[in-house]
Amino acid sequence: MEYNSMIMKNNPIVCVILLVSLLAGTVISLRAQSYQTALGLRIDGSAGITAKHFVRPAWAVEGILHIQQRGLGLTGLGVRHIEPFPLAGLSVFAGGGVHAGYWNRLKENPLFTGESRVILGLDAIAGAEYCPEKVPVSFGIDWKPMLNLTGVEQDDRWVVNGALSVRYTFK
């Protein structure tokens, strides 16, 4: 009992120490990405086009055009990169954003039927990216949960996918 009350009294101090340690580690590991802009393919069960542009050394904006059999969508993300590992060119990232698109729940072309629906929603993303030093290509893997706010049935509100991305990089 006495031990638990001691932990509770010292808990704010422990939290501050942990927070300062995390922030210090993050600041130390922030480095400029080896490219400014990248354009390529994103494969996540369907094909997509991805473009990423660094607006600051550790911050990027990413746009994804999703192309599917029954529709298409556009996602905009803000992403923060850090390099916590000693391997040059390897970074991890996390961020969030929004998506919009349309799809057809029937297996027909959504442009020519009355069953098309507009979808709007929120996105999160986390993953890793590797950029070899001497090759103008980046390789990424990510996990991207989405919350559809409109245009879907209740069963399709939460969607989680993972993807592989390959992008050509521009300095």
Side-chain angles (χ1 to χ4, degrees):
M1 185 111 164
E2 199 171 302
Y3 179 74
N4 286 341
S5 82
M6 185 175 82
I7 289 175
M8 294 307 281
K9 287 180 185 175
N10 292 330
N11 204 14
I13 294 169
V14 171
C15 289
V16 169
I17 290 170
L18 287 173
L19 182 61
V20 169
S21 298
L22 286 172
L23 290 175
T26 300
V27 170
I28 290 168
S29 66
L30 292 178
R31 291 181 223 142
Q33 197 63 17
S34 62
Y35 66 89
Q36 183 72 31
T37 304
L39 179 65
L41 297 176
R42 183 176 195 274
I43 307 298
D44 65 356
S46 64
I49 298 171
T50 173
K52 185 182 278 190
H53 178 75
F54 279 85
V55 294
R56 291 188 188 163
W59 288 93
V61 292
E62 181 174 1
I64 303 167
L65 176 63
H66 308 274
I67 304 165
Q68 301 176 4
Q69 178 184 359
R70 297 186 293 162
L72 67 93
L74 185 62
T75 301
L77 300 164
V79 182
R80 182 171 187 213
H81 281 250
I82 62 170
E83 293 182 352
F85 308 109
L87 179 61
L90 179 62
S91 65
V92 294
F93 59 86
V98 297
H99 67 268
Y102 71 91
W103 78 294
N104 184 334
R105 56 191 189 99
L106 303 175
K107 294 186 178 194
E108 299 173 17
N109 188 325
L111 294 175
F112 303 112
T113 68
E115 291 293 322
S116 296
R117 296 181 180 190
V118 173
I119 297 174
L120 301 172
L122 303 173
D123 296 71
I125 191 167
E129 183 176 58
Y130 179 65
C131 303
E133 290 182 36
K134 300 182 191 257
V135 182
V137 176
S138 75
F139 303 95
I141 185 168
D142 66 63
W143 176 71
K144 191 168 86 55
M146 301 174 281
L147 173 61
N148 292 313
L149 301 173
T150 66
V152 297
E153 304 296 329
Q154 189 66 28
D155 293 348
D156 294 325
R157 288 242 185 253
W158 284 101
V159 178
V160 177
N161 67 27
L164 298 173
S165 298
V166 178
R167 298 179 190 95
Y168 182 81
T169 62
F170 303 91
K171 297 288 181 193

